[in-house]
Amino acid sequence: MSFLFGNRSSKTFKPKKNIPEGSHQYELLKHAEATLGSGNLRMAVMLPDGEDLNEWVAVNTVDFFNQINMLYGTITDFCTEESCPVMSAGPKYEYHWADGTNIKKPIKCSAPKYIDYLMTWVQDQLDDETLFPSKIGVPFPKNFMSVAKTILKRLFRVYAHIYHQHFDSVMQLQEEAHLNTSFKHFIFFVQEFNLIDRKELAPLQELIEKLTTKDR
C-alpha cells in the first residue's frame, strides 16, 4: 500500500501500475487501504462481503507488484551483476528464469537480470486486458487464478532474495519496517486464499512462522 511509504519520492524499479480512479477496482483498493490502516492484517486480507474473488485477487496482485517494485527500487544499487551473479535466496535456493514464451528453457542469470525479466513479465500480465480486465462487466478469463498464482509465486522470490541477500542494506536504509509489513501482508494474503504452495515458501519459512504466529 502506498501509505506504507508516506509521500517521499521513492525510486521504483519499474513504472508503477495504476488502478483507474473511479473504477470499482479503485474502490476495492481504497477499502483494502482503510482496513490495512486498522493494523489487523488478518482481517484486511479477507474477501469483502459480496465481492468477487477474482477481482479482489487482481487488485491485491497489482498492489503487491507496486510494493515490491518500490522495495526493490530502494536497493538496486546493492543488487548488481557483481554482488549477485545468480538469483538466489540463501545458499540452498537458486532460481533460473523462464517465461514459457520468450524464454522457454530456464536460464541461469544474475539477480538483477532475473528480477528485471520477472518484473517486466508481471507488468505485461497486468497490462493485458484479457487477463486483468479493468472495465466493469468484463469477465475474468477461466485461467485467471492460475496466472495470478504464478505472478505471486514469482513476486515472492523477490522478497526472498531481498531478505537473504540484502537485509543489511535494507536496515542501513531503515526500510526494514516497510519490508516486514509489506511481506507480512503478502503472506497473510496468499495464505488466506491458498495461492502459493508451501514448498515455494520454504526459503523464508522461519520468517513466515515468526511473522504469523503472533497473529493467530
Side-chain angles (χ1 to χ4, degrees):
M1 292 288 151
S2 53
F3 77 86
L4 281 178
F5 301 95
N7 293 324
R8 63 203 167 86
S9 63
S10 289
K11 182 172 94 174
T12 59
F13 179 59
K14 296 277 171 194
K16 189 169 183 278
K17 170 76 181 165
N18 289 315
I19 290 175
E21 268 190 63
S23 67
H24 182 61
Q25 290 185 10
Y26 187 78
E27 296 306 312
L28 271 181
L29 184 63
K30 288 287 155 221
H31 168 87
E33 285 188 359
T35 50
L36 264 178
S38 72
N40 186 335
L41 287 173
R42 279 270 179 236
M43 294 285 291
V45 298
M46 289 176 181
L47 180 67
D49 286 348
E51 293 298 346
D52 175 59
L53 177 60
N54 284 345
E55 197 155 35
W56 183 237
V57 169
V59 165
N60 280 277
T61 300
V62 169
D63 189 48
F64 289 127
F65 169 77
N66 286 333
Q67 286 187 43
I68 292 167
N69 207 354
M70 289 173 87
L71 287 162
Y72 185 67
T74 63
I75 57 117
T76 46
D77 290 347
F78 308 101
C79 187
T80 64
E81 301 280 329
E82 293 71 39
S83 67
C84 303
V86 294
M87 174 63 178
S88 61
K92 286 200 287 189
Y93 300 96
E94 189 176 301
Y95 300 112
H96 296 178
W97 177 255
D99 58 15
T101 45
N102 297 326
I103 300 173
K104 291 190 168 66
K105 197 174 171 193
I107 57 165
K108 187 171 177 170
C109 56
S110 67
K113 191 92 178 140
Y114 184 101
I115 293 169
D116 192 13
Y117 279 135
L118 187 156
M119 297 300 266
T120 302
W121 177 84
V122 173
Q123 208 166 21
D124 289 346
Q125 311 310 302
L126 300 181
D127 288 341
D128 185 341
E129 279 288 326
T130 63
L131 275 179
F132 280 77
S134 58
K135 294 178 180 65
I136 289 178
V138 177
F140 283 85
K142 287 191 171 62
N143 67 332
F144 170 74
M145 219 33 109
S146 71
V147 172
K149 284 178 176 180
T150 303
I151 290 172
L152 293 165
K153 175 181 78 177
R154 289 177 173 172
L155 289 176
F156 168 81
R157 294 170 181 176
V158 185
Y159 281 120
H161 180 71
I162 293 172
Y163 272 112
H164 276 283
Q165 313 302 133
H166 300 294
F167 197 66
D168 286 352
S169 303
V170 169
M171 286 177 72
Q172 275 171 21
L173 296 163
Q174 299 183 319
E175 292 285 340
E176 67 268 29
H178 294 149
L179 176 61
N180 287 340
T181 306
S182 173
F183 181 61
K184 190 172 176 181
H185 178 207
F186 178 88
I187 285 302
F188 280 10
F189 190 81
V190 299
Q191 286 179 341
E192 175 74 12
F193 303 106
N194 201 18
L195 297 168
I196 302 181
D197 287 346
R198 192 180 162 85
K199 69 176 189 301
E200 285 285 341
L201 300 173
L204 293 178
Q205 196 50 51
E206 278 181 39
L207 176 67
I208 291 167
E209 281 166 17
K210 201 164 114 184
L211 289 175
T212 56
T213 44
K214 294 175 194 162
D215 292 84
R216 286 216 172 111

